[in-house]
Amino acid sequence: MASNLIPFLLLFLSLQSQSFADSPSWVKAGYYYSGSEISASDIKANLFTHLLCAFAFINSTNYNLFINSSQEHKFSNFHNSVKLQNPSISTLLSIWSGRHKSSVFSSMLNQSSSRKSFIDSSITTARLYGFHGIDLYGAWPREGTELVNFGNLLKEWRAAITSEARNSSKPELILVMGGYYLKASDSLSYPFDLMQRNLDWVHFVAYDYYVPSKDNVTGYHAALYGPPAWDNTDSGIKEWRRRGFSSTKLVIGLPYHGYAWTLVNPGNSGVGAEASGPAITKDGSMAYKLIKSYIRSFGDVVVSHYNDTFVVNQFTVASINWVNFDDVEAIKAKVSYARKNGLLGYNVFQVGNDDNWVLSRAGELLNIIQP
Ligand SMILES: *[C@@H]1O[C@H](CO)[C@@H](O)[C@H](O)[C@H]1NC(C)=O
Ligand SMILES: *[C@@H]1O[C@H](CO)[C@@H](O)[C@H](O)[C@H]1NC(C)=O
Ligand SMILES: *[C@@H]1O[C@H](CO)[C@@H](O)[C@H](O)[C@H]1NC(C)=O
Ligand SMILES: *[C@@H]1O[C@H](CO)[C@@H](O)[C@H](O)[C@H]1NC(C)=O
Ligand SMILES: *[C@@H]1O[C@H](CO)[C@@H](O)[C@H](O)[C@H]1NC(C)=O
Ligand SMILES: *[C@@H]1O[C@H](CO)[C@@H](O)[C@H](O)[C@H]1NC(C)=O
């Protein structure tokens, strides 16, 4: 009985999802932000399989990529710097698409000549700096013509990448993107079928669900589960699956940052408590290493708690500053979730925010324990 099912399943899978040459079986990816304090040579590259250098931007006149001239040396040295620590690392150039609907990305999408300029430039730039692949980050879900054209872009991009590899006799560039949380009721979506066919994987941006600069009540920005009716990673991944995207090309995002809210009513520290905006930093965002040194600066007075129901770490300072973030426990639980649910791996945002590689080692360790 079971043996009769196998050929059928294999056929089904091969129709659903194309695998590209040298597809990895477990992705441990991390973003390096060129504006971060650390340099590429500081990255413990042996903790990762893929490192993404962020960001290149899209020129609004000719849709070619450009890199901020003050940062260009970081992109041109990136591949060689990280390869010293991990000779088998794969490096990707990450392109910022602009999160707003009226971005240059939107106007690029709607004409095939603009898409071609963008695609050709992305391949040329990636090759110029020695990257193994290309990532598109920040792309918002769409509807109607824009959604169709988003799908066309992915189709044309893969075709160009395949053709360039054939012409140049080089291995095909990896092509990936990041995508955001969708509610079941959202009319906006992604071209999931064409993502599945044309991308090596998609990074589910599993953080920043609630942020103090936008939301006037406290919320967990990256909870794995619940609370019921609140955006969380498990329900987001289930919604992507419901819309037809399979787990086998899905990589879970892991935040190396948290957010601090100012509470309106001191002591009211649950989720959904009234808040009057960011605390501690300008927009309330805090790198993991800043959170750890902030907690330490209070001695024993401030203690962070791990809530394993929601998979979040949180603490309150002086009953008024409410902070939620991912510590070692949350990172481990999420990597373990990715394993149990048959995802392809994880993608850290961003490596420069780690505290002495504690979070990166937590994810890595779990890979060894649960192969
Ligand atoms: C964008 O392209 C235009 C036209 O080729 C060029 O003049 C301009 O310098 C470019 N801008 C950047 C930031 O690369
Ligand atoms: C380029 O880098 C400089 C210095 O880091 C920064 O002030 C500027 O905003 C950057 N420009 C863009 C387009 O990112
Ligand atoms: C594409 O978008 C740009 C900017 O939104 C607009 O000016 C242009 O008319 C659009 N072109 C097409 C063919 O829809
Ligand atoms: C590869 O070569 C073919 C034939 O010369 C050409 O039509 C095609 O545009 C090339 N592809 C790329 C991506 O350069
Ligand atoms: C908080 O935001 C919600 C939704 O945007 C809005 O309905 C409500 O009036 C806001 N409350 C305050 C106190 O600003
Ligand atoms: C997690 O938070 C919920 C809701 O506040 C609470 O009921 C539960 O006891 C907490 N669990 C832990 C382990 O702190």
Side-chain angles (χ1 to χ4, degrees), residues 120-141:
D120 290 349
S121 167
S122 74
I123 296 173
T124 308
T125 311
R127 289 296 192 203
L128 174 68
Y129 295 125
F131 289 100
H132 297 112
I134 304 170
D135 169 56
L136 180 71
Y137 194 60
W140 213 239

Side-chain angles (χ1 to χ4, degrees), residues 209-234:
Y209 302 142
Y210 300 99
V211 296
S213 55
K214 283 209 301 244
D215 299 297
N216 58 20
V217 295
T218 58
Y220 295 131
H221 89 97
L224 182 55
Y225 300 107
W230 289 76
D231 293 359
N232 64 80
T233 300
D234 181 57

